[in-house]
Amino acid sequence: MRRAVCPGSYDPIHNGHLEVIARASGLFDEVIVAVSTNYAKKYRFSLGDRIDMARETLASLQGIVVEPVGEGLLAEYCRQRGVSAIVKGLRSSSDFDYELPMATMNRQLSGVETVFLPAEAHYLHLSSTLIKEVASLGGSVSDYVPRSVQKRLLSGESA
């Protein structure tokens, strides 16, 4: 079985993430959406809420598993889960510049390859940070997030 991981904090998951995950599911037998926690970041949603939103949103896609990454290195997580590739979406050259050293390190640590998928043009501007900011200031994000995420953003649910 060819298994890939799409890691991210998904705070919250948005349509740009979904587009990359859906494309990855066409390339691999199983795609693990690995929800991570970076303790240097301040999250709007708890880990449990982020996992729930991802599961709700991705339930209709075949071959998708949503789970927390847990502690430690992504390379080690990939090795433990039998993952052959990490899939990362790229919006710009700055994303590539940020991701390339990590891809190289992950390959050297565990042999896992990184597959870069360019984002669709209409999602190039999306980031979870921007979506949270727009929503918190009363702007509509309905074109950018799944309904379940929009409801949580509007209700003020948070970690």
Side-chain angles (χ1 to χ4, degrees), residues 4-19:
V5 64
C6 288
S9 57
Y10 302 109
D11 186 43
I13 195 164
H14 58 67
N15 293 346
H17 294 133
L18 301 178
E19 187 261 332

Side-chain angles (χ1 to χ4, degrees), residues 11 19 23 27 30 32 48 53 57-59 75 78 89 101-102 112 115 118 129 147 156:
D11 186 43
E19 187 261 332
R23 286 169 52 205
L27 298 172
E30 181 178 82
I32 302 169
M53 286 186 285
T57 303
L58 296 163
C78 291
M102 287 190 290
V112 67
V115 175
T129 301
R147 246 184 244 121

Side-chain angles (χ1 to χ4, degrees), residues 27-109:
L27 298 172
F28 296 91
D29 300 316
E30 181 178 82
V31 174
I32 302 169
V33 176
V35 183
S36 64
T37 298
N38 176 342
Y39 294 101
K41 285 185 177 181
K42 180 169 173 31
Y43 290 100
R44 165 79 196 288
F45 296 101
S46 70
L47 177 62
D49 285 340
R50 291 182 281 133
I51 290 170
D52 289 346
M53 286 186 285
R55 285 183 177 151
E56 290 165 14
T57 303
L58 296 163
S60 65
L61 289 177
Q62 294 295 315
I64 303 291
V65 174
V66 179
E67 64 185 36
V69 173
E71 303 283 329
L73 294 171
L74 179 60
E76 184 57 30
Y77 171 84
C78 291
R79 184 182 336 206
Q80 290 171 357
R81 299 288 284 122
V83 169
S84 61
I86 298 168
V87 176
K88 300 294 282 191
L90 298 178
R91 296 168 294 181
S92 66
S93 60
S94 62
D95 281 354
F96 180 76
D97 292 341
Y98 177 79
E99 295 291 348
L100 183 61
M102 287 190 290
T104 304
M105 182 63 79
N106 285 327
R107 186 176 62 250
Q108 291 176 358
L109 290 173

Side-chain angles (χ1 to χ4, degrees), residues 15 130-132 134-135 139-146 150 153-154:
N15 293 346
L130 185 57
I131 287 168
K132 289 184 290 191
V134 169
S140 174
V141 294
S142 62
D143 290 341
Y144 311 120
V145 296
Q150 183 180 6
L153 284 167
L154 293 174

